[in-house]
Amino acid sequence: MSEGSLSEKNSAQDENHGENGGVGVSTSVQGVKKKRGRKSKEEKEEMERKLLEENLLEKNGENNRVIYSSFKDVQKETVDMDRKNSEGNLLETKGDRDVSHGERDGVGGSLQEGVTDGSNGDLHEKRPRRKRKVVKEGGGKFEGPDGFSGSGSDIQKKHNFRNRKVKIEAVMPKKKKGDKESKENQSNMCHQCQRNDKGRVVRCTECKTKRFCIPCIENWYPHLKEDYIEEACPVCRGNCNCKACLRSDAFIKKMKAKTSSVKDEKVEVSMCLLQVLLPYLRLLDEEQMFENEIEAKIHGISVSELEVVHADYFKDERVYCDNCKTSIFDYHRSCTECSFDLCLMCCRELRSGQLVGGADPITLEFPFRGRDYLHGKIVDKTVNLTEPNDAAKPLIRDWSRAVWHAESNGSIPCPKECNHGFLELKSVLGQNFITNLLCKANGLAQTLKHETPDKLCLCSRPDTSANYGMRKAASRADSGDNYLYCPNSVQLQDEDLGHFQWHWEKGEPVIVSHVIDCTSGLSWEPLVMWRAFRQMNNTKHEQHLDVKAIDCLDFCEVEINIHQFFTGYTKAFGDWLHWPRILKLKDWPPSNLFEERLPRHCAEFISSLPFKEYTDPLGGCLNIAVKLPKECLKPDMGPKTYIAYGFPQELGRGDSVTKLHCDMSDAVNVLTHIAELKLDPEHLSAIDKLKLQHFEQDKRELLSDRDGETNVDEVKSVPESDSSFAGDGSEGALWDIFRRQDVPKLQEYLRKHFREFRHIHCSPLEQVIHPIHEQTFYLTVEHKRKLKEEYGIEPWTFVQKLGDAVFIPAGCPHQVRNLKSCIKVALDFVSPENVGECFRLTEEFRTLPISHVSAEDKLEQVKKMIIYAMQDVVTKLETARMKVNIPLTDN
């Protein structure tokens, strides 16, 4: 824009200000308006200043100063408007159009910056695109200084600024139908898709800022009605599943902040933990005292003179035994020449001449005989196509256990060739750490009397089971545990915690229904989880969108696109013979990344958990696992997801199952989503045809046991139908959980019949190391019938429905078969009632061959958990005793 056009623009705007202001400033400056087009900007400002001084100096008092200040503000704003107008950022219309607006409105917005309000005398700021209405009160007259006349009206109005009888009201322009400006102020941007071209939107009346278009509501919130969203949108309700909200960690951070702020713990809880954990702390101390005596004997000194070397390790470093792979938490022996470490249990076994832990690796072979073999085709035994099996590859040691033994004085040489080094005693926590902790704990236990009240539960009686929410799960003769405690999460009260503890102490599973009804209602649809997890970074694109799944037919890994997997979640796709492919994702996303990749779903899952004293992974007061310090390397306790296809009929081969296994800790498993897997007619036809081929193959290949007691002709061609569930639309998975006391008989049955089972590549089992920890068995309806017939035991069998949380005690073997496509989320925890079972399982797992699939120390730090939990208990009880300054008693 040229300088001349700018001057014309200024002239028009100044006329507008004079007419609208009504205070007479236009008459004084009208004589120079025609010259402005030929004046430079600086000359114009100088002339206006002189004119103002000539007119304003004739007046005196506050009126002149106020008017002068007001007009200077007008002048400054006019210059600013001229500058902005030259840049094309403020006005789109010509000056004459502005004048017409001023005439129509009757007031000028610019001059009113200098008008003071009658209430407090403050100056009103100019608000852009805002109109002001002048209201006269009490019939007062407006007076202005001489020489000023208003050009915006034929009637001269004089303004008296001292009277302050002018009331200024700010009013917004009236929105008229079809007004372009009003329509622009109402955005149609959808919060879900961030687009404004999808037509009508539903506006939230709660936050008044979020909108959702109709297509997004139909696609992503089909269960919600428009008036429900209008009342409070998904963002306000906390269940929005747009990408930004799904990837927000605000909810999980809020949970952590709330947990860190709640530091007080009831004395009763601390006393309970003290009584439960004290015996295990004594065992650990006795183990160390025995090793102190051996070390003192080796050096020929007394125990009081012994100084144990402090092991220099990082707090986040995992130290484990090089023989049995068990985690080392404190005392251990370490080579003086190399990095070889040995746990105290292995030291004791080595001295006794029976080194049980860390058995030599065993090679497990599952030959691949071609894909046609999977469906019963006869394959020439001379053709043995063997695929490498990573899980079966043995771990090779660089040292031998055969000639390794302890010396007569108890010292242990290093088994490696490292210049004849020996293993010296070292401590991670400090020589007397556990001893001093035990001394304090014993003192508190004697001072603080804790009496456990007698507990009684009548809910297991058949005549009262309906009133207590019990669910029948077994039909054992002369047994009082055929019913399982099954409360409704929505109706849980404080006293239900004691009811839960009564059953939990007995090693019984507990089923809590409707847990997802207590949450915000975030969607667990597969595609919602996928878009939350999806990352489009170039370097990680393939890694995140391609996942490894397990094919339940041959239990081999297959690589599949995650979107393709979720498509098959509801619509089955078949193999080369149209047999429906049943796939499952285990531990997706990786549990150590669950919170990072699915933060909103992680927070939703934690909020759904009942009995948070046990299950809260952030601060459950009865969850021993949370007692580890933040700087310590912690075991992977979850949450972890299990996503799998499912089919109601038991196929016998290729079923969507989690095979029989035993967790080393307590666990809670929540069914968050189910979907019916739709099979085409060709799939159903293939099932009927191929099941007969599978049966004929089993008769040919499944051998009887070595005693010849098993008759394969007894195997039924058509598996019995499960009568454990009846269709109400909410069934998801069929569970079988065995009692701890039945484990020996269960193992005996599996060792007797192991040749009747298949595993990888559908190959029959040739050997078994540990029948439960192998995770190679799934007991069909027929096998469960034979188990009860031969050994008189049966599991708790029940159906997990949508929203059910299943509590599995540590040490209870269990198996699962999906009746529909399911998404389950599980979390491990360590309860005080089952610490002893965790101890036993830890020792049991260390005896497996080091190449075993279950040999990894999943609960590697249970002993460390006990130590830090006891330290936390002692600190809190000592603090409580100091506050009251008297011995505490627990009534």
Side-chain angles (χ1 to χ4, degrees):
M1 186 180 292
S2 63
E3 184 177 356
S5 61
L6 283 174
S7 301
E8 293 174 1
K9 187 73 175 179
N10 295 338
S11 175
Q13 288 180 352
D14 289 344
E15 286 182 26
N16 184 25
H17 286 301
E19 292 170 350
N20 291 342
V23 293
V25 296
S26 60
T27 304
S28 301
V29 296
Q30 204 166 15
V32 295
K33 285 183 180 178
K34 296 180 180 180
K35 299 180 182 180
R36 286 181 180 175
R38 298 187 301 270
K39 297 291 183 180
S40 65
K41 190 175 182 179
E42 293 80 8
E43 292 174 341
K44 178 190 67 175
E45 294 176 356
E46 181 66 18
M47 181 174 294
E48 289 176 343
R49 185 181 63 81
K50 290 181 178 180
L51 288 172
L52 286 170
E53 291 176 352
E54 291 175 0
N55 287 281
L56 294 176
L57 287 176
E58 296 177 0
K59 307 296 177 182
N60 49 36
E62 283 294 320
N63 289 351
N64 296 340
R65 284 193 291 270
V66 172
I67 296 174
Y68 180 79
S69 174
S70 174
F71 193 79
K72 286 294 292 182
D73 291 340
V74 174
Q75 179 198 12
K76 181 179 180 182
E77 183 183 11
T78 303
V79 175
D80 291 340
M81 292 177 65
D82 291 343
R83 176 178 57 80
K84 293 181 180 179
N85 201 17
S86 65
E87 297 173 354
N89 294 329
L90 183 62
L91 296 177
E92 297 178 357
T93 57
K94 296 296 182 180
D96 53 348
R97 182 177 176 182
D98 294 336
V99 172
S100 63
H101 278 288
E103 292 174 346
R104 183 179 69 248
D105 297 337
V107 283
S110 300
L111 187 59
Q112 292 181 13
E113 285 183 336
V115 180
T116 58
D117 185 56
S119 59
N120 53 20
D122 295 335
L123 294 177
H124 286 286
E125 293 183 357
K126 176 184 179 343
R127 299 183 182 180
R129 307 176 72 90
R130 183 71 63 91
K131 300 180 182 180
R132 300 184 185 275
K133 181 170 61 178
V134 180
V135 181
K136 295 192 296 182
E137 293 183 351
K141 297 182 178 180
F142 295 93
E143 297 180 358
D146 295 339
F148 286 81
S149 62
S151 60
S153 175
D154 295 333
I155 302 175
Q156 296 291 332
K157 298 181 180 180
K158 297 183 179 180
H159 296 248
N160 187 351
F161 288 91
R162 286 188 181 276
N163 294 334
R164 298 183 180 178
K165 293 183 179 180
V166 180
K167 181 178 179 181
I168 306 298
E169 291 183 358
V171 294
M172 293 297 294
K174 293 182 179 180
K175 296 180 180 179
K176 297 182 179 180
K177 186 175 180 180
D179 186 22
K180 181 179 179 181
E181 182 177 344
S182 300
K183 291 182 178 180
E184 289 179 351
N185 289 337
Q186 279 194 336
S187 174
N188 289 331
M189 180 72 71
C190 173
H191 174 80
Q192 184 83 14
C193 62
Q194 294 295 299
R195 296 179 61 177
N196 59 1
D197 57 350
K198 290 189 175 182
R200 187 169 62 87
V201 296
V202 177
R203 304 179 186 276
C204 175
T205 58
E206 176 75 16
C207 63
K208 297 181 176 59
T209 59
K210 300 295 186 295
R211 301 157 298 277
F212 287 80
C213 65
I214 302 303
C216 283
I217 295 175
E218 295 174 350
N219 291 335
W220 298 106
Y221 308 95
H223 58 289
L224 300 182
K225 296 182 179 180
E226 290 186 19
D227 54 353
Y228 183 84
I229 296 179
E230 183 178 7
E231 179 183 350
C233 68
V235 178
C236 296
R237 298 181 186 271
N239 55 23
C240 178
N241 57 46
C242 74
K243 289 187 292 185
C245 292
L246 288 176
R247 297 174 184 175
S248 171
D249 58 355
F251 284 88
I252 195 69
K253 284 184 176 179
K254 184 178 180 180
M255 285 182 173
K256 291 181 178 180
K258 183 178 180 180
T259 301
S260 60
S261 62
V262 180
K263 297 182 179 179
D264 294 336
E265 195 171 281
K266 292 183 179 180
V267 176
E268 293 82 356
V269 174
S270 297
M271 283 301 305
C272 174
L273 292 176
L274 178 68
Q275 298 294 335
V276 172
L277 300 181
L278 189 55
Y280 302 102
L281 187 65
R282 288 173 181 156
L283 289 177
L284 298 179
D285 184 66
E286 291 174 2
E287 189 179 56
Q288 292 190 355
M289 290 300 99
F290 177 80
E291 204 65 27
N292 280 340
E293 294 176 359
I294 297 293
E295 186 72 5
K297 180 181 177 182
I298 293 173
H299 292 283
I301 59 177
S302 63
V303 176
S304 60
E305 297 175 326
L306 179 65
E307 293 185 3
V308 179
V309 178
H310 181 72
D312 188 13
Y313 296 112
F314 295 104
K315 290 186 177 181
D316 59 349
E317 179 182 0
R318 187 200 169 194
V319 185
Y320 60 91
C321 176
D322 285 296
N323 179 60
C324 68
K325 306 304 178 184
T326 301
S327 178
I328 292 174
F329 65 96
D330 190 15
Y331 269 32
H332 65 284
R333 289 194 173 272
S334 183
C335 181
T336 56
E337 300 293 336
C338 67
S339 59
F340 187 87
D341 295 321
L342 195 67
C343 69
L344 295 189
M345 185 59 68
C346 286
C347 291
R348 179 178 298 181
E349 293 176 352
L350 192 62
R351 294 190 185 103
S352 65
Q354 297 179 347
L355 186 57
V356 179
D360 289 330
I362 298 177
T363 302
L364 302 176
E365 293 184 357
F366 298 98
F368 175 68
R369 299 178 175 88
R371 70 175 189 175
D372 291 334
Y373 175 80
L374 303 179
H375 287 304
K377 186 176 181 180
I378 300 177
V379 178
D380 189 355
K381 290 187 178 182
T382 60
V383 180
N384 186 12
L385 303 176
T386 303
E387 280 192 352
N389 180 19
D390 293 337
K393 289 183 178 179
L395 179 64
I396 301 176
R397 284 192 172 111
D398 57 354
W399 52 277
S400 175
R401 289 166 34 119
V403 296
W404 189 29
H405 62 275
E407 302 296 338
S408 58
N409 62 352
S411 64
I412 300 176
C414 179
K416 294 185 176 181
E417 298 180 0
C418 57
N419 297 326
H420 305 286
F422 69 94
L423 306 183
E424 66 175 345
L425 186 62
K426 290 187 177 182
S427 173
V428 176
L429 300 176
Q431 181 174 350
N432 297 316
F433 182 86
I434 293 182
T435 301
N436 294 336
L437 182 61
L438 178 61
C439 182
K440 294 179 181 179
N442 284 329
L444 289 170
Q446 294 175 1
T447 303
L448 309 178
K449 304 300 181 181
H450 177 74
E451 296 180 359
T452 304
D454 295 334
K455 298 180 180 179
L456 182 63
C457 179
L458 301 177
C459 63
S460 58
R461 291 172 50 185
D463 56 340
T464 60
S465 60
N467 298 329
Y468 288 93
M470 303 299 293
R471 185 182 299 186
K472 187 174 182 179
S475 300
R476 308 181 190 94
D478 301 327
S479 177
D481 57 2
N482 290 329
Y483 288 80
L484 295 180
Y485 178 46
C486 182
N488 189 318
S489 180
V490 180
Q491 302 172 354
L492 283 179
Q493 305 294 330
D494 293 339
E495 56 269 18
D496 289 313
L497 177 61
H499 198 167
F500 166 81
Q501 291 173 329
W502 190 89
H503 291 279
W504 193 246
E505 268 184 349
K506 297 168 67 69
E508 298 178 5
V510 174
I511 309 167
V512 183
S513 63
H514 299 90
V515 297
I516 59 177
D517 293 344
C518 302
T519 64
S520 65
L522 181 69
S523 174
W524 289 89
E525 288 283 343
L527 292 181
V528 172
M529 297 182 66
W530 170 68
R531 63 199 295 263
F533 181 80
R534 181 178 56 183
Q535 298 289 333
M536 301 305 294
N537 296 335
N538 293 332
T539 58
K540 299 182 179 180
H541 177 78
E542 182 178 356
Q543 176 184 356
H544 289 172
L545 298 186
D546 293 333
V547 295
K548 290 183 179 180
I550 302 295
D551 192 328
C552 293
L553 178 62
D554 58 3
F555 275 85
C556 293
E557 284 188 354
V558 295
E559 193 169 274
I560 187 173
N561 179 272
I562 187 64
H563 188 271
Q564 182 183 359
F565 174 86
F566 282 140
T567 301
Y569 183 84
T570 53
K571 183 174 178 56
F573 54 94
D575 60 12
W576 70 100
L577 294 179
H578 305 297
W579 180 271
R581 295 192 69 185
I582 305 296
L583 304 179
K584 66 176 183 177
L585 291 179
K586 184 178 181 181
D587 198 16
W588 177 91
S591 53
N592 58 335
L593 297 177
F594 187 85
E595 179 183 333
E596 175 185 343
R597 299 294 168 83
L598 297 172
R600 185 62 192 88
H601 284 90
C602 181
E604 186 82 353
F605 168 72
I606 294 175
S607 67
S608 73
L609 295 176
F611 305 121
K612 286 185 169 54
E613 293 86 351
Y614 289 88
T615 58
D616 190 350
L618 303 177
C621 59
L622 293 175
N623 186 359
I624 308 298
V626 305
K627 305 299 182 180
L628 289 174
K630 294 181 179 180
E631 62 272 13
C632 285
L633 184 64
K634 300 181 180 180
D636 181 13
M637 307 294 287
K640 49 181 78 77
T641 57
Y642 298 91
I643 308 176
Y645 307 166
F647 188 63
Q649 181 183 352
E650 187 174 80
L651 304 177
R653 185 181 301 188
D655 287 304
S656 176
V657 299
T658 299
K659 294 193 175 185
L660 188 68
H661 67 286
C662 184
D663 293 326
M664 294 179 62
S665 66
D666 305 306
V668 56
N669 185 296
V670 179
L671 180 59
T672 59
H673 186 269
I674 59 173
E676 185 177 355
L677 184 62
K678 297 179 181 179
L679 300 180
D680 295 335
E682 59 182 8
H683 297 147
L684 298 175
S685 176
I687 290 175
D688 295 337
K689 176 182 177 181
L690 295 177
K691 280 182 66 176
L692 295 176
Q693 298 183 16
H694 297 166
F695 170 68
E696 294 298 328
Q697 185 184 40
D698 289 344
K699 291 178 64 176
R700 291 192 308 266
E701 299 180 359
L702 296 183
L703 304 177
S704 61
D705 64 275
R706 295 182 180 179
D707 296 331
E709 296 182 3
T710 301
N711 186 358
V712 295
D713 292 332
E714 294 180 358
V715 179
K716 293 180 171 56
S717 59
V718 180
E720 295 181 5
S721 60
D722 253 317
S723 58
S724 305
F725 61 95
D728 65 352
S730 62
E731 310 89 356
L734 181 68
W735 285 70
D736 295 303
I737 303 180
F738 289 88
R739 300 184 300 182
R740 291 171 184 160
Q741 59 266 37
D742 294 335
V743 170
K745 292 183 178 180
L746 175 63
Q747 293 187 14
E748 186 177 346
Y749 174 86
L750 295 176
R751 291 185 185 278
K752 177 181 177 181
H753 295 276
F754 76 92
R755 295 181 184 273
E756 301 175 24
F757 294 85
R758 299 178 182 271
H759 193 41
I760 298 176
H761 304 310
C762 286
S763 297
L765 295 179
E766 299 293 339
Q767 60 180 332
V768 59
I769 301 172
H770 193 289
I772 295 178
H773 300 327
E774 283 292 274
Q775 299 186 32
T776 56
F777 297 94
Y778 180 82
L779 298 175
T780 61
V781 175
E782 175 64 17
H783 274 292
K784 287 187 287 186
R785 183 191 64 80
K786 291 167 62 176
L787 175 64
K788 185 172 183 179
E789 180 181 299
E790 296 179 18
Y791 290 90
I793 63 172
E794 66 172 301
W796 288 292
T797 301
F798 59 90
V799 173
Q800 182 185 23
K801 299 183 178 182
L802 179 64
D804 283 356
V806 178
F807 285 76
I808 310 103
C812 289
H814 54 281
Q815 61 181 22
V816 187
R817 182 171 72 86
N818 291 328
L819 307 175
K820 294 180 180 178
S821 293
C822 297
I823 296 179
K824 296 189 284 287
V825 187
L827 176 75
D828 296 332
F829 62 97
V830 182
S831 63
E833 293 88 344
N834 294 327
V835 168
E837 194 65 21
C838 295
F839 252 80
R840 185 190 67 80
L841 288 170
T842 301
E843 299 302 325
E844 191 172 281
F845 271 76
R846 65 176 290 276
T847 62
L848 297 174
I850 58 174
S851 61
H852 198 276
V853 65
S854 300
E856 55 182 282
D857 196 2
K858 296 180 180 178
L859 195 60
E860 56 195 28
Q861 302 188 55
V862 60
K863 296 180 180 179
K864 184 187 290 187
M865 292 177 187
I866 292 173
I867 292 173
Y868 282 106
M870 184 61 79
Q871 185 184 33
D872 180 68
V873 166
V874 169
T875 301
K876 290 178 178 177
L877 288 178
E878 288 181 340
T879 303
R881 184 169 61 176
M882 291 176 61
K883 286 183 178 179
V884 297
N885 202 23
I886 57 173
L888 294 177
T889 58
D890 203 353
N891 296 328

